[in-house]
Amino acid sequence: MRRPALHFSPRKGWINDPNGLCFFNGRYHIFYQHNPYSSSWGKMHWGHAVSDDLVDWEELPIALYPDRWYEDDEQGGCFSGSALIEDGVMYLVYTAVAGGKQRQCLAISHDGEVFEKHPANPLIDMPSGYTDFRDPRIFRHGGWIYMVIGASDGTHGFIDLYRSEDMIGWEAMGHIYELPAEQGRMPECPDLFEVDGHWVLTFSPVDYVREGAPVMAVIGDADLDRCRFVPRYSQPFDYGSDFYALQSFIGPDGSRLAMAWANGWQWMGTFKGFSPDPESPWCGFMTLPREIRCIGGRLSSYPVKSVWDTFSHDFYKLDGELSGEMSICPSPQSGATAVSIAIRRDVPNAPAEVDIEQGRERMVVIADGNSSSVAVTIWKDGSVDRAACLSVPSDASDMRVDMIIDEDSAEIFVGGGLSTTSFNIYADGKRSIGCRSIGRSTKISSFTVSGRKK
Ligand code: FRU
């Protein structure tokens, strides 16, 4: 694996889920599931990094070691959780796992560098009859601190709601959401938040029937006092296979930001095409930070401005039309590259094709403005490996498709993030980007390939 230029990756060891995302004392903090001793999953610690802009990260010492009786277990440790900032204090809640028991715990920090586990831990025991009970997400709403937790009795999945006034004593309120069978048997890393006046529930379902889109989003109405969530509609949050354990947080300007682990257990399975290379001292990285909106009831997510600001130099620029001939665009061979195309929808138009080849993989993106759809196919060694189809009905005169390609990944945002897909594709230091019309010509408002200034 090559180290991504624009995505957070650890110096060494394994990482999965982002945990405890927050903005505290003027900096963004990310914690994450971490095995510092090898590039495979193992006894979980909470790694820690900080950033001023969500682009450049500084790794700090490990925040939580699995050193207490309730978490000191080779198959356990300090599992996923979240953060809440109250009166200048950082509270971290997480699941301690040992001896097959999953219990919720609290750690506190006054400076964002030293973390103390609360002496009353574990605060919430696994209810009887449960096989899974983990990944607490805390947030304040009105006079209460709420916590949602992913739970399962082995067959059915639930999201349970708890509330507290002091973060120590927790009242169980019941299931706020029961997963329909097709949404899997256990919701990992649930999140529940309000954005633009809508309630959004997200989770990563284990054994989800819809393969290859591992974070589910349910938009609905919530009444937390009554432990009620009424779903209005649901959709995959992202249509790619490498997007898992999404966690949101509130930025300094009140915006709803989020990051996910750029992978997924189901797809990774036995690490298909992603074997933690025994030679590599590290494994895993996070997706780009995105802002979530819900405008007119439609969910969108789009990389934050500081990400776009890094693409300061246009290597290739075109407007007017694309011809049927494939043109190979000048582009950086490594690092991160942004490719954006705005196809006209207000005239009868032919679809456009963008081809991105790196390493053994080739991504073909076919964007059709007239049918407002984008088909993404990943080819590996000459055969189709993965695919996604995105569609964004809209009245806009252009259909815009933004792609950010890094050393190990491609993230695609259609219509400003109304539909998105994230795939891992692995580079080898050579990247080739081509574009053409699938027809005689495709009318475009713009096409650009950009990167960091040389
Ligand atoms: C999700 C997950 C969580 C758990 C953690 C363990 O990827 O399985 O449910 O807390 O990873 O590392």
Side-chain angles (χ1 to χ4, degrees), residues 18 189 191 202 204 215 237 243-248 258-261 292:
C189 302
D191 197 350
T202 60
S204 296
V215 173
F237 187 91
F243 190 91
Y244 202 81
L246 177 82
Q247 186 171 95
S248 78
M259 286 168 86
W261 173 39
I292 303 179

Side-chain angles (χ1 to χ4, degrees), residues 130-132 151-158 178-181 184-187:
Y130 276 9
T131 51
D132 302 79
S152 173
D153 60 11
T155 315
H156 301 104
F158 313 105
E178 299 189 17
L179 274 67
R185 64 173 169 80
M186 162 65 193

